[in-house]
Amino acid sequence: MRPNVAPFFDCATSTFTYVVHAGDGTPAAIIDSVLDYDPKSGRTSTASADRVIAFVREHRLQVQWLLETHAHADHLSAAQYLKRELGGKTAIGEQIRTVQGVFKRVFNLGGDVPADGTQFDHLFAADETFTFGELTGRALHVPGHTPADMAYQIGDAVFVGDTLFMPDVGSARCDFPGGDAHALYRSVQKLLALPPQTRLFMCHDYPPPSREARCETSVEQERRANVHLHDGISEDAFVQMRTERDRTLSMPVLILPAVQVNIRAGEMPLPESNGVRYLKIPLNAF
């Protein structure tokens, strides 16, 4: 199977959202959607998601899945907005429970955020298969960036989440709670054992000034040229590099609002007595 893949790039967060389908008028999946958020004002908007909605309606697609590769730290998910507008089931890997447990303690969240994954319509087990129309997907557990990261293999395409980046950018950080550079190395080896022509679609791209953002590479290209994980790099060498590099990185701009929303499957906190919803900012917690 060679599914049609429509990418949508959000410049503010360097995030790619994907619509995957077999053709006009067929069932579809949306992967890693973006809800626009202004950290200065605390306002949300839906311009990025509305571009996706317009495409879905133009091509008469029936959304069946709203997939998240993990609980993102750099953008807020638009899954709930898309679900209201287009339908579909929200889904993520079952290890999201672990991530929810960690951040429930960090943000001191109450009983409205149970750490059991019930905020999502479906939790994927490792290697579980799913279908939409004539397309079949497989959920690959690829921990390392977080314990809950999933990649979705649909036909000859794999949506890798935050495991690999484009060959000239390398790999994802592993210093968030539950991150593990050893696990990331092994997860990437699983992806790079797929056939060389397998298409790999990035969740993000952070390009050097010499090129524009790109979303697609291949197993062959990553094995040959990935600056962190090309063929011949040992696990110990990668872990040393990744650990040293992570020590130099600052926190993502949106990590505090994003994680609170994304462990809720894109739902905002409940309104308080004045009708306003609030996100928490823990002091000196990171």
Side-chain angles (χ1 to χ4, degrees):
M1 295 182 296
R2 186 177 176 86
N4 296 310
V5 178
F8 298 83
F9 187 61
D10 176 59
C11 294
T13 62
S14 298
T15 303
F16 284 101
T17 297
Y18 297 100
V19 179
V20 187
H21 62 100
D24 287 5
T26 65
I30 298 174
I31 303 174
D32 288 337
S33 62
V34 174
L35 181 72
D36 303 306
Y37 177 78
D38 179 3
K40 297 177 182 178
S41 66
R43 297 198 67 85
T44 63
S45 57
T46 60
S48 295
D50 288 338
R51 291 168 54 213
V52 174
I53 291 171
F55 177 88
V56 167
R57 290 176 173 163
E58 178 185 356
H59 293 275
R60 309 184 316 283
L61 303 175
Q62 300 100 46
V63 174
Q64 294 191 356
W65 292 98
L66 299 160
L67 305 176
E68 301 288 351
T69 54
H70 61 294
H72 308 275
D74 41 29
H75 70 271
L76 282 65
S77 170
Q80 295 301 323
Y81 174 66
L82 293 173
K83 183 177 179 179
R84 289 192 296 271
E85 294 293 318
L86 299 173
K89 295 193 295 187
T90 59
I92 199 168
E94 62 185 357
Q95 293 299 322
I96 189 62
R97 301 182 184 109
T98 301
V99 177
Q100 289 174 325
V102 169
F103 285 104
K104 183 168 181 173
R105 293 189 293 273
V106 169
F107 292 107
N108 195 31
L109 301 175
D112 63 313
V113 188
D116 60 5
T118 54
Q119 299 83 355
F120 296 84
D121 297 317
H122 186 81
L123 300 181
F124 285 116
D127 296 319
E128 181 179 347
T129 59
F130 59 98
T131 60
F132 51 108
E134 64 187 64
L135 297 176
T136 298
R138 182 162 66 109
L140 307 174
H141 186 213
V142 285
H145 176 61
T146 80
D149 277 59
M150 303 299 284
Y152 297 107
Q153 182 179 17
I154 303 171
D156 73 332
V158 180
F159 302 85
V160 300
D162 279 6
T163 52
L164 282 168
F165 293 146
M166 294 298 293
D168 58 348
V169 180
S171 60
R173 64 194 298 165
C174 297
D175 59 334
F176 294 155
D180 184 327
H182 287 282
L184 183 66
Y185 180 89
R186 295 164 192 164
S187 294
V188 170
Q189 300 315 303
K190 180 191 303 184
L191 296 175
L192 297 186
L194 294 168
Q197 68 276 16
T198 302
R199 296 184 291 164
L200 303 179
F201 290 91
M202 309 293 104
C203 183
H204 302 285
D205 190 27
Y206 306 102
S210 58
R211 68 169 176 82
E212 295 182 347
R214 296 200 296 261
C215 66
E216 182 180 348
T217 179
S218 69
V219 166
E220 189 278 329
Q221 290 171 319
E222 292 283 2
R223 292 184 61 172
R224 174 172 46 82
N226 186 282
V227 294
H228 295 166
L229 285 157
H230 60 78
D231 283 352
I233 296 294
S234 71
E235 182 173 339
D236 287 344
F238 171 76
V239 169
Q240 180 178 351
M241 178 282 300
R242 189 69 264 171
T243 302
E244 292 174 354
R245 183 176 176 85
D246 287 348
R247 291 194 188 107
T248 71
L249 301 177
S250 59
M251 286 290 101
V253 172
L254 297 184
I255 184 171
L256 296 178
V259 169
Q260 291 177 76
V261 171
N262 294 339
I263 63 172
R264 293 173 163 101
E267 284 281 12
M268 295 295 172
L270 294 172
E272 297 196 7
S273 58
N274 61 355
V276 178
R277 302 174 191 266
Y278 292 89
L279 295 170
K280 293 184 174 183
I281 304 296
L283 300 178
N284 305 314
F286 288 92

